[in-house]
Amino acid sequence: MKFLFIIQGEGRGHMTQAISCFELLQELGHEISAVCIGKSRMREIPGFVKEKLHSPIHLIESPGFVFDKKHKGIVLRKTISENIGKFGIYKDSLIKINDLVLKYRPDIILNFYDILGGLYNAIYKPDCQFWVIGHQYLSLHPDFTFAKGRFLDKTLFQINTKLTALWADRYLALSFKNLPNGRNKKLLVLPPLLRRELLLMKPKYHDFFLTYMVNPGYAEDVLHYAKKNPNLKIEAFWDKKGAPECYRPLPNVIFHKINDSLFLEKMSQCRGLVSTAGFESICEAMFLGKPVMMIPVSGHYEQACNAEDAFNAKGGIIADNFDFGFFHKHLSKNIYSPEPMKFWQGEFRRKFLSLLDENYHYQKCQNSTFSENLQN
């Protein structure tokens, strides 16, 4: 079958999921004709994404968050107003997606949580299947735990999730733990979509903490707590524009420009992960049996939900800041086992293959019926 990917460019999670899916589909003999990535003014598309997605990559202007002056929290009102003001730009992006669909004629469009993917499917109604994939779609499951309070944030999160999946044929909901599929026949609960390099790694425990921040403004917090705990070694990853590949602001702190291979290598060696609450990084740590302390991005309701979900799956603890000293004390009292995540993740290939086979046979049946109708 032929696929076309649409990927949200905020953070690294959706892009690394797309790489894993790309590699698996190619291994199974499928074709990924083209990749659309929603770009953001604040972030660069990491070099490893372009290296590993061996298909034509098309960058498109797509809705994204607006952050405060310190590049930490999300400013909700500005996010809404700025994206509404770019309607004309996004209209051009939809036309670009449609041109690619008409050119390559995919059997399946796979959307990694980009809002333009859902809008495109609703407006243009392409003659192919439209699937969506991500942890966010688990919010459509009856057993999903939402972060408490914040009714407006919850409502906007649900609206955004539904907009990315308008008239979707399949919802592939990635989950920290195994759950029944529920009543919605279009919803399939799947294990995390982890990269093959991670699956082959043998964890070690060196004397440093790993940290990843989705917004570079959190570097101030990392440095603040690093100064308070000079005996603790910290290796951090960020995607700050213009930053050098390696930057050492303190004797006990190193900042690395985001690099997927180096990040996984450090993940396999660290004592524990201190991170904003992105789904992918938490899953990687859980798979390796590494403890996690999660700091949800301020104003980012989706990350608050991620943290609650990971905590319920015994994947780590939730904190308000990058207090490495607090995390260091926590580690002396708690042990994390990788076995539950390893067992659950091992089910991905079987479940995904079953889904592809089901769709392939469905398409053959549809094509056969169409041919018979023409003959009659």
Side-chain angles (χ1 to χ4, degrees), residues 176 191-195 199 287 339-349:
F176 289 113
L193 188 49
L194 302 180
R195 286 168 288 167
L199 308 183
F287 184 87
E339 297 310 316
M341 174 58 82
K342 282 191 172 184
F343 179 81
W344 171 226
Q345 199 283 328
E347 289 288 292
F348 184 92
R349 189 182 182 93

Side-chain angles (χ1 to χ4, degrees), residues 4-261:
L4 185 144
F5 284 7
I6 302 175
I7 309 168
Q8 186 206 110
E10 290 276 352
R12 64 183 272 276
H14 298 290
M15 290 182 279
T16 55
Q17 287 168 10
I19 290 170
S20 300
C21 193
F22 184 98
E23 292 173 345
L24 178 56
L25 287 170
Q26 280 203 326
E27 179 189 327
L28 297 170
H30 302 290
E31 177 188 339
I32 297 83
S33 303
V35 175
C36 298
I37 303 179
K39 65 180 181 179
S40 163
R41 66 177 183 178
M42 184 177 166
R43 308 186 197 284
E44 295 175 347
I45 302 301
F48 71 85
V49 175
K50 298 173 183 177
E51 290 169 11
K52 296 196 173 183
L53 292 174
H54 304 295
S55 283
I57 295 177
H58 303 268
L59 301 182
I60 56 173
E61 291 282 350
S62 182
F65 292 118
V66 176
F67 295 93
D68 58 28
K69 292 180 180 179
K70 293 185 177 181
H71 298 291
K72 288 184 180 179
I74 292 171
V75 182
L76 196 56
R77 194 170 291 178
K78 278 190 176 181
T79 295
I80 295 170
S81 62
E82 183 168 308
N83 284 306
I84 290 174
K86 290 184 175 181
F87 175 78
I89 295 173
Y90 300 148
K91 184 179 177 181
D92 291 340
S93 295
L94 292 173
I95 293 171
K96 188 173 182 178
I97 294 172
N98 190 53
D99 289 342
L100 293 170
V101 171
L102 293 176
K103 178 181 179 180
Y104 293 108
R105 299 199 174 279
D107 298 298
I108 298 171
I109 296 174
L110 188 55
N111 185 28
F112 293 81
Y113 205 65
D114 194 286
I115 196 169
L116 288 186
L119 293 176
Y120 171 75
N121 192 51
I123 295 169
Y124 285 85
K125 299 178 177 60
D127 186 23
C128 62
Q129 292 273 300
F130 179 71
W131 295 3
V132 294
I133 185 168
H135 178 243
Q136 295 85 349
Y137 302 110
L138 199 65
S139 64
L140 305 175
H141 193 282
D143 293 339
F144 184 75
T145 303
F146 289 95
K148 295 179 180 178
R150 300 168 63 176
F151 175 77
L152 177 60
D153 289 343
K154 176 183 175 181
T155 302
L156 291 173
F157 168 56
Q158 290 175 309
I159 291 172
N160 188 75
T161 298
K162 289 176 180 177
L163 286 174
T164 66
L166 289 170
W167 290 313
D169 297 289
R170 278 288 187 178
Y171 302 85
L172 309 184
L174 305 181
S175 174
F176 289 113
K177 58 186 179 181
N178 193 358
L179 291 172
N181 288 326
R183 295 179 182 177
N184 187 345
K185 292 182 179 179
K186 292 184 179 181
L187 181 72
L188 177 64
V189 179
L190 289 173
L193 188 49
L194 302 180
R195 286 168 288 167
R196 62 180 65 176
E197 301 99 302
L198 180 81
L199 308 183
L200 300 174
M201 286 182 167
K202 295 181 180 179
K204 302 173 184 176
Y205 291 87
H206 293 182
D207 189 26
F208 71 90
F209 289 107
L210 179 67
T211 185
Y212 169 70
M213 61 215 76
V214 69
N215 299 329
Y218 283 103
E220 294 179 10
D221 294 2
V222 170
L223 294 175
H224 172 74
Y225 287 102
K227 287 177 182 176
K228 291 181 68 174
N229 299 275
N231 58 314
L232 300 179
K233 296 177 183 177
I234 300 162
E235 299 215 20
F237 282 79
W238 61 355
D239 65 350
K240 184 178 180 180
K241 278 190 174 182
E245 292 297 320
C246 189
Y247 168 55
R248 188 188 287 269
L250 292 173
N252 63 327
V253 179
I254 300 174
F255 279 90
H256 302 280
K257 195 105 181 255
I258 190 69
N259 175 307
D260 67 326
S261 298

Side-chain angles (χ1 to χ4, degrees), residues 291-354:
V292 183
M293 185 168 77
M294 301 164 282
I295 303 95
V297 170
S298 175
H300 200 319
Y301 182 76
E302 176 193 320
Q303 287 218 348
C305 292
N306 285 352
E308 289 285 345
D309 201 17
F311 177 78
N312 292 335
K314 300 181 180 178
I317 60 172
I318 304 171
D320 296 324
N321 49 52
F322 286 75
D323 190 341
F324 293 91
F326 172 77
F327 190 43
H328 174 66
K329 293 175 183 176
H330 169 77
L331 296 189
S332 63
K333 303 174 186 176
N334 295 273
I335 298 174
Y336 289 83
S337 170
E339 297 310 316
M341 174 58 82
K342 282 191 172 184
F343 179 81
W344 171 226
Q345 199 283 328
E347 289 288 292
F348 184 92
R349 189 182 182 93
R350 180 184 65 80
K351 285 176 173 285
F352 194 58
L353 274 171
S354 177

